[in-house]
Amino acid sequence: MASKIFYLLLCFSARIHTCLSVSKEVNLLESVPDLQKSMYVSIDGFPCVRLLNLTGEIGCSNPGREKVIAPIVRFKNADELGQLSAILMSLHEFDSFFHRVSNDLNFERNVGGVLLESGTEIQHELKGFSPDEKFPQAEFSPYGNISYQWNPFGSGIKQNNYNFPVFLLSESSTLTLKEAAIKNEGNKETYTLDVAEFDLVMQTTRTGTHNSESCLKEETCLPLGGYSVWSALPPINILSSESSKRIILAVASMDSASFFRDKNLGADSPISGLISLLVAVDALSRVEGLDKLGKQLVFIIFTGEAWGYLGSRRFLLELDQNSDAVSGLNSTLIDTVLEIGSVGKGFSHGTKSFFAHSTQVSATTNETLNALQLAQDSLQSSGVKISTANVSNPGIPPSSLMAFMRKNYQTSGVVLEDFDSVFTNQFYHSHLDDSSNINSSAIVAAAALVARTLYILASDNKDLDTSALNVINVNVSLVEELMGCLLNCEPGLSCGLVNHYISPTNTCPSNYVGVLQGEPSSTPYPGYIGDIPRFLWNFLADKTSISLENTSFSCPKNCTEPNQLCIRSETDGKGVCVVSTTRYVPAYSTRLKFESESWKVLAPNSSDPLGMVDPVWTESNWDVIGLRMYTKQDAAYDRLVLLAGLTVTILAYLAIVIVRSFISKSLKQD
């Protein structure tokens, strides 16, 4: 009953013919939520959110504490904005829009929000789109030429601060908003407009905390971070008193970045390298006699690399501190680092081509390059080609190896990439770097190359022949399965492989690093760990493990030995005990310390060159993020209705006065 009365009051102030056209629907409204549903259209989208560092803010937010309501207009029709407007645009117009915003303050003042269209064919229509810088994270470079353009399509718009909300629309919502914008263009004389209502209020905006130190102090933000995962094959006997073997460290990354928080799959950069490493581990796990190799294989998958190399830098600090998270590892025993970067586009005219970017020339680096060459020779029938990167390059490309080199410039390492002098990924750190941007054949080839190279390096045998390497074969179907799990919503994290190990909280994967909750630990509370790190921990622990003789024991009750782990415990509440050296390593800024249930920013240490340039990235807290659309009467029409009402009232009053006077005179004459 209350909803009907409320609706009739709305009708009273609206145009009569509009109310009549929908009055028949009143009886269908049973509650206020029903009424709201009939008035508002919820819009699906992915927001750009507010991030902070020690010097300021980047990203997007409502300008104040209130929702933003603005009529929807198309950017191509928005030469002059006379009022606050929600601007609908295609990705072709995105860079030019932000260029205009940075150069036209009057235009920027009337931008209420941005609605970015999405479509399936956009990758084929664009030459390239990358919101990151031309040299991403150049401040961490171990060499001086930071003006080099590794990322030629980089616009840098991701690194700027925008005091208006920005949403990437879903495909269905794109069609809805296009219709609304076209309708607004044709409704100039009807006094109604379709408006977008943005609810993207950040807590840091409310409290006026505009850098990471102040917002951490006021607890309106949390540090970017999560958990990296490392594993040894075969497991390391941490109780052994024997001298440890030299270590071959294989590295990949699990996190990417994008202008939009939850739309950053990073298919080529870096997930193609991650999948290659996982498949290589699977292939090596089936090879016998690994415990007799001269060197120890260790695999580590970092998170937070897109935001100041959080994972690799924290890992190196944990090594220095000999923390529980890296128990069994010794930094002085690391022989070489082989990093698998972007390999998903290394396919051209039937040849799988990759480039080896190496650190300074040394005997160990040459051994790695020779091992890659020997692995290539053993794969000749597969059409795999490995080349040394151009000597004119200033050094290694943006990669985790940079953190190792800044820590110790003498580090020997090689980064395997699908490019030579510039990125072949024209959608680096954008929402367009999805599964359509990579080739599974290239990932299969890279996995085979990596598996055989690691075996050669660990065997320490210069005379390995092709027949010895031919027993190392990758599972092609595993590549396809991992791509489906980590790069698509269908099946996404509901795929059989992931569900074999964990019970995911989401179906659609997101490779954004996220924020670190609670106190960092080598044995963190599972609820504080993302789906993908939990899957990787279980997968690596399984593949690098030695099964116990009696595998019928469930865990954690029966995992009593220090070398034992409980895997797959999420799936049935029991799990299985295995012998494995697999650990979580917290990934967060080396300038942060968690004490007294809060985060503190540490003073810079001149002896830590990486800490001196650490931006200390944080993400603002928020209450609700939402976007919806509804039809609103123009204020001019409301004023016209008011004026008409006043006029009618005055005329009615005058008419009453005149009639009363006339009647009074008539009565007196009688």
Side-chain angles (χ1 to χ4, degrees):
M1 185 64 184
S3 63
K4 295 180 181 180
I5 294 171
F6 177 61
Y7 176 77
L8 292 173
L9 289 173
L10 289 176
C11 289
F12 183 78
S13 63
R15 293 174 299 168
I16 294 175
H17 77 271
T18 302
C19 291
L20 290 175
S21 66
V22 296
S23 62
K24 295 179 181 179
E25 299 178 9
V26 172
N27 292 329
L28 300 177
L29 303 176
E30 299 295 335
S31 63
V32 172
D34 287 341
L35 178 62
Q36 290 179 327
K37 190 174 181 180
S38 69
M39 293 173 61
Y40 300 103
V41 178
S42 295
I43 302 299
D44 296 325
F46 303 90
C48 158
V49 302
R50 173 73 74 228
L51 300 178
L52 305 95
N53 57 31
L54 290 176
T55 59
E57 303 168 288
I58 69 168
C60 317
S61 171
N62 281 13
R65 302 184 179 192
E66 305 299 327
K67 297 177 182 179
V68 175
I69 301 171
I72 304 161
V73 300
R74 289 188 289 181
F75 180 55
K76 65 180 181 182
N77 296 328
D79 291 336
E80 297 295 334
L81 293 179
Q83 62 178 331
L84 197 67
S85 302
I87 302 178
L88 178 68
M89 68 187 70
S90 69
L91 194 58
H92 299 88
E93 302 167 313
F94 206 53
D95 284 344
S96 60
F97 165 79
F98 282 106
H99 177 75
R100 182 169 179 183
V101 162
S102 62
N103 291 284
D104 187 343
L105 294 179
N106 290 327
F107 179 80
E108 180 192 19
R109 196 174 294 116
N110 284 321
V111 176
V114 174
L115 302 162
L116 180 62
E117 301 170 2
S118 62
T120 55
E121 299 299 323
I122 193 70
Q123 282 102 326
H124 303 295
E125 298 171 1
L126 286 172
K127 290 183 178 179
F129 171 74
S130 173
D132 212 326
E133 298 169 317
K134 295 187 182 298
F135 192 145
Q137 306 192 87
E139 63 270 26
F140 292 97
S141 169
Y143 46 84
N145 185 3
I146 60 174
S147 62
Y148 188 81
Q149 296 187 8
W150 287 105
N151 182 26
F153 290 104
S155 64
I157 61 174
K158 181 174 72 70
Q159 303 302 114
N160 298 329
N161 177 27
Y162 305 104
N163 289 315
F164 48 79
V166 182
F167 277 81
L168 171 67
L169 303 172
S170 65
E171 289 189 39
S172 59
S173 293
T174 294
L175 297 175
T176 302
L177 271 296
K178 277 185 176 181
E179 291 174 359
I182 294 170
K183 178 183 171 184
N184 283 346
E185 292 166 12
N187 281 3
K188 294 181 179 179
E189 305 300 327
T190 61
Y191 299 105
T192 63
L193 289 171
D194 284 348
V195 298
E197 180 185 270
F198 299 90
D199 190 354
L200 193 68
V201 178
M202 300 284 116
Q203 286 189 17
T204 51
T205 303
R206 288 180 174 176
T207 58
T209 47
H210 298 305
N211 60 58
S212 55
E213 187 165 16
S214 63
C215 73
L216 287 171
K217 184 177 181 180
E218 296 298 324
E219 298 185 350
T220 58
C221 64
L222 285 171
L224 292 190
Y227 286 91
S228 303
V229 180
W230 73 270
S231 188
L233 180 68
I236 298 172
N237 186 357
I238 59 175
L239 302 179
S240 173
S241 59
E242 296 179 8
S243 177
S244 298
K245 297 178 181 179
R246 303 291 296 177
I247 294 172
I248 306 298
L249 192 62
V251 172
S253 300
M254 71 173 86
D255 77 296
S256 186
S258 165
F259 194 88
F260 304 99
R261 183 186 189 276
D262 297 315
K263 192 69 171 176
N264 51 0
L265 293 172
D268 187 43
S269 307
I271 302 303
S272 63
L274 166 61
I275 295 175
S276 293
L277 181 58
L278 295 180
V279 175
V281 172
D282 174 69
L284 289 167
S285 70
R286 297 192 299 273
V287 177
E288 295 181 357
L290 292 179
D291 57 327
K292 296 180 176 60
L293 297 180
K295 296 179 182 178
Q296 176 70 53
L297 290 174
V298 173
F299 315 102
I300 183 160
I301 302 169
F302 293 124
T303 191
E305 296 303 270
W307 301 98
Y309 299 113
L310 296 176
S312 52
R313 291 173 49 228
R314 172 57 60 174
F315 172 73
L316 291 169
L317 181 60
E318 298 284 329
L319 279 176
D320 286 347
Q321 296 174 345
N322 294 314
S323 73
D324 290 341
V326 292
S327 177
L329 294 182
N330 186 329
S331 60
T332 62
L333 294 176
I334 297 176
D335 221 27
T336 191
V337 178
L338 176 61
E339 181 170 356
I340 303 89
S342 306
V343 294
K345 298 181 76 67
F347 186 84
S348 178
H349 305 295
T351 300
K352 295 88 171 181
S353 300
F354 305 101
F355 294 88
H357 300 255
S358 59
T359 57
Q360 74 285 346
V361 176
S362 68
T364 308
T365 301
N366 287 337
E367 282 182 17
T368 305
L369 294 174
N370 290 336
L372 282 164
Q373 187 65 50
L374 182 57
Q376 173 207 271
D377 294 342
S378 71
L379 292 166
Q380 279 186 345
S381 61
S382 302
V384 179
K385 181 182 179 183
I386 183 74
S387 304
T388 304
N390 198 313
V391 294
S392 65
N393 292 348
I396 60 173
S399 57
S400 301
L401 188 54
M402 281 187 166
F404 284 84
M405 291 190 68
R406 285 294 297 268
K407 178 75 175 176
N408 178 5
Y409 196 75
Q410 300 303 315
T411 299
S412 169
V414 171
V415 185
L416 188 67
E417 302 277 10
D418 56 16
F419 61 86
D420 185 1
S421 298
V422 296
F423 293 172
T424 54
N425 182 9
Q426 65 269 45
F427 302 122
Y428 179 80
H429 279 179
S430 85
H431 64 281
L432 298 180
D433 189 10
D434 57 24
S435 57
S436 66
N437 192 41
I438 57 177
N439 186 291
S440 61
S441 297
I443 297 177
V444 170
L449 188 67
V450 168
R452 296 188 180 197
T453 299
L454 291 175
Y455 184 83
I456 295 167
L457 291 171
S459 67
D460 210 16
N461 183 352
K462 308 295 189 300
D463 300 319
L464 275 176
D465 56 21
T466 301
S467 61
L469 298 176
N470 284 340
V471 299
I472 305 173
N473 295 298
V474 300
N475 183 349
V476 176
S477 63
L478 180 59
V479 171
E480 300 288 349
E481 192 172 11
L482 284 167
M483 288 176 63
C485 297
L486 302 180
L487 296 175
N488 295 300
C489 286
E490 294 183 4
L493 298 179
S494 63
C495 69
L497 179 61
V498 171
N499 278 270
H500 178 65
Y501 292 108
I502 68 168
S503 298
T505 57
N506 296 293
T507 298
C508 289
S510 175
N511 296 321
Y512 174 63
V513 60
V515 294
L516 194 62
Q517 302 181 62
E519 184 175 7
S521 169
S522 59
T523 55
Y525 170 62
Y528 290 162
I529 312 171
D531 289 337
I532 292 178
R534 295 202 324 278
F535 162 67
L536 294 175
W537 185 92
N538 278 272
F539 180 91
L540 289 176
D542 185 19
K543 297 298 181 182
T544 63
S545 68
I546 300 172
S547 298
L548 298 175
E549 291 183 5
N550 190 344
T551 56
S552 63
F553 288 150
S554 62
C555 53
K557 182 178 180 181
N558 294 300
C559 294
T560 56
E561 299 299 324
N563 291 329
Q564 293 180 9
L565 296 176
C566 178
I567 63 172
R568 305 203 302 270
S569 61
E570 291 183 40
T571 56
D572 58 6
K574 297 179 181 179
V576 178
C577 290
V578 296
V579 175
S580 177
T581 310
T582 304
R583 306 275 190 275
Y584 286 115
V585 185
Y588 61 100
S589 169
T590 57
R591 289 278 306 277
L592 288 177
K593 183 178 182 181
F594 188 84
E595 60 181 14
S596 302
E597 300 301 316
S598 62
W599 291 95
K600 304 290 190 300
V601 178
L602 303 176
N605 185 345
S606 59
S607 64
D608 178 14
L610 290 173
M612 295 291 289
V613 296
D614 188 342
V616 188
W617 286 109
T618 61
E619 179 189 290
S620 174
N621 301 338
W622 64 79
D623 295 323
V624 177
I625 288 180
L627 174 63
R628 63 183 184 178
M629 182 190 76
Y630 59 92
T631 301
K632 181 182 178 183
Q633 266 183 186
D634 190 275
Y637 182 73
D638 291 337
R639 290 191 290 269
L640 181 61
V641 171
L642 177 61
L643 180 61
L646 291 173
T647 302
V648 169
T649 302
I650 293 170
L651 291 175
Y653 176 76
L654 291 174
I656 291 170
V657 170
I658 293 171
V659 170
R660 288 180 64 183
S661 176
F662 177 76
I663 293 173
S664 179
K665 287 180 181 180
S666 298
L667 290 174
K668 286 179 180 180
Q669 290 176 356
D670 292 340

